[in-house]
Amino acid sequence: MSKRENFLKQFPTIVEDLTEALRAYNMPQEAIEWFTRSLNHNTPGGKLNRGLSVVDTYQILTGKSSLSDEEYQKVALLGWCIELLQAYFLVADDMMDHSITRRGQPCWYKVEGVQDVAINDAFMLEAAIYYLLKKYFRSETYYVDLLELFHEVTFQTELGQLLDLITAPEDDVDLSRFSMAKHSFIVRFKTAYYSFYLPVALAMYVAGVTDPRDLKQAQDVLIPLGEYFQIQDDYLDCFGTPEQIGKIGTDIQDNKCSWLINKALEIVTPEQRALLDANYGQKDDPEAEAKVKTLFHELNLEKLYREYEQNIATQLKEDITKIDESRGFKGQVLTEFLNKVYKRDK
């Protein structure tokens, strides 16, 4: 059985735990069925990399090639809590972006009969995290640490989303709002904290590696690594093929504050800047998008991205070699994450 299959086997138990909570409140059957449908539609359909990373990190930190059923269920549950957090973000994000599909199926709010009820469903996906943490971890010495970590990372992600929304609204294109500093803040807060740091920090607490110095060591590598991951996405959206990335890139038409547009703004001539102002973020205008892509090629952004990628990978590898493992943290955790990300093409 693959790691993913084993992880997915835990999800029905989580659904049962959460629906049992509704039964305890004497919720009508129709409400229980609605929540169950929301959980199954929104939570298990992605790559599950964040959730699986909790298990992988715990095994590296404890040096165990296999876990007992009890150990596995405990760390897998925390992994599913991250996937619930992801589901909460995506349900809300799809409504804010007026998206149509997600993971090959209709966005939840686009499912027949759902519409604005999805707002409350998003809240319930988030609240489910804290129900599960209380049920399974309340007696643990690190229970409050888990609560604080989820609350802090949720707030950080929402800060990143806020800056993204007000910097690059789809219906109000103004490239003067963009900057590489804003891009860095957006991707670190919107993506890196919950996608890279959160899985590792959760596993560290369960493994007993809780010294603040170790948590900082992890964060100091994982946050720039998460930024690199998002910059890869920005690059692939323009230069990757639909076969590679599983979709047609839309960042240019959607007025995204991506690494590519910010790098271009740093080096364009006045004439090239005028072309970007006239053509970037023009929804449903393939010709405008083509002009921007042509300029990106003329500016040699692909070469500049490759240089960035090499430099950040070299820096991260060097940082990992300096990890102090005397208190139980292991640089291998960070190496595994870097190996998954480095030069990925999808």
Side-chain angles (χ1 to χ4, degrees):
M1 184 184 299
S2 71
K3 289 182 179 181
R4 179 186 167 86
E5 290 170 335
N6 199 26
F7 187 66
L8 279 167
K9 274 181 59 181
Q10 310 300 313
F11 189 63
T13 301
I14 288 169
V15 173
E16 180 57 33
D17 282 335
L18 294 170
T19 52
E20 184 59 37
L22 270 63
R23 292 189 192 96
Y25 287 122
N26 296 316
M27 288 290 284
Q29 184 61 29
E30 64 194 272
I32 294 170
E33 290 175 0
W34 182 286
F35 187 38
T36 301
R37 192 158 61 107
S38 169
L39 287 165
N40 284 311
H41 184 97
N42 294 306
T43 314
K47 299 186 183 79
L48 306 179
N49 288 337
R50 296 167 182 83
L52 287 166
S53 293
V54 182
V55 180
D56 292 343
T57 299
Y58 179 78
Q59 288 191 255
I60 292 171
L61 291 173
T62 57
K64 296 178 178 179
S65 57
S66 62
L67 304 176
S68 68
D69 289 346
E70 183 180 354
E71 271 186 307
Y72 183 83
Q73 288 165 6
K74 178 176 281 192
V75 289
L77 180 84
L78 289 175
W80 278 113
C81 284
I82 301 181
E83 295 299 331
L84 283 165
L85 184 67
Q86 163 85 334
Y88 157 56
F89 290 147
L90 295 184
V91 169
D93 191 59
D94 286 340
M95 295 187 76
M96 286 182 266
D97 290 348
H98 309 291
S99 299
I100 306 300
T101 60
R102 167 74 66 180
R103 297 168 174 170
Q105 60 183 352
C107 297
W108 178 239
Y109 82 102
K110 283 291 187 181
V111 171
E112 185 177 357
V114 176
Q115 298 181 335
D116 287 352
V117 182
I119 298 170
N120 192 66
D121 293 331
F123 297 156
M124 290 184 68
L125 291 166
E126 184 197 21
I129 296 166
Y130 300 101
Y131 176 84
L132 293 168
L133 292 178
K134 182 178 180 180
K135 178 170 183 176
Y136 287 99
F137 293 92
R138 192 178 186 189
S139 63
E140 302 290 352
T141 57
Y142 51 83
Y143 174 58
V144 172
D145 294 312
L146 299 182
L147 295 178
E148 290 184 346
L149 183 60
F150 268 103
H151 282 307
E152 181 177 24
V153 169
T154 299
F155 186 46
Q156 289 166 325
T157 306
E158 289 160 353
L159 291 175
Q161 175 74 340
L162 171 62
L163 189 59
D164 191 17
L165 289 169
I166 65 176
T167 299
E170 288 188 28
D171 58 351
D172 183 15
V173 181
D174 181 358
L175 298 184
S176 66
R177 294 194 189 108
F178 289 8
S179 71
M180 200 60 88
K182 277 188 179 178
H183 175 268
S184 180
F185 185 97
I186 289 168
V187 301
R188 285 176 177 237
F189 279 73
K190 187 177 175 179
T191 300
Y193 278 105
Y194 93 94
S195 298
F196 285 80
Y197 177 64
L198 180 58
V200 172
L202 290 172
M204 290 172 70
Y205 281 121
V206 183
V209 183
T210 59
D211 190 293
R213 290 170 292 180
D214 285 324
L215 291 162
K216 187 175 187 306
Q217 286 194 110
Q219 183 170 307
D220 286 348
V221 171
L222 290 166
I223 299 307
L225 179 57
E227 181 176 11
Y228 164 38
F229 175 85
Q230 184 57 53
I231 290 171
Q232 282 179 321
D233 265 8
D234 293 351
Y235 167 80
L236 290 170
D237 186 271
C238 179
F239 290 99
T241 65
E243 291 73 27
Q244 280 179 293
I245 63 177
K247 63 178 182 178
I248 297 172
T250 60
D251 282 1
I252 293 172
Q253 289 197 31
D254 291 345
N255 189 36
K256 292 295 185 182
C257 181
S258 76
W259 184 87
L260 293 174
I261 184 63
N262 281 292
K263 179 55 69 174
L265 290 171
E266 289 181 346
I267 59 177
V268 287
T269 65
E271 292 78 11
Q272 291 169 330
R273 171 60 188 261
L275 184 149
L276 290 175
D277 285 331
N279 293 283
Y280 196 79
Q282 300 305 304
K283 201 77 170 173
D284 302 320
D285 188 343
E287 289 186 14
E289 180 187 40
K291 289 177 183 177
V292 174
K293 281 192 174 183
T294 298
L295 179 57
F296 282 178
H297 282 283
E298 290 173 0
L299 294 172
N300 223 347
L301 292 188
E302 187 166 9
K303 177 175 179 289
L304 293 176
Y305 166 76
R306 293 299 176 195
E307 291 174 356
Y308 158 79
E309 180 174 53
Q310 192 57 52
N311 290 337
I312 190 64
T314 300
Q315 183 62 57
L316 291 171
K317 288 175 184 176
E318 183 180 334
D319 292 342
I320 293 171
T321 64
K322 298 175 182 177
I323 293 294
D324 177 4
E325 300 187 348
S326 63
R327 293 176 300 275
F329 188 62
K330 296 181 180 179
Q332 183 189 347
V333 169
L334 306 174
T335 299
E336 292 289 332
F337 269 83
L338 178 57
N339 288 343
K340 290 175 185 176
V341 172
Y342 183 51
K343 289 199 172 179
R344 70 184 176 96
D345 57 4
K346 60 182 179 180

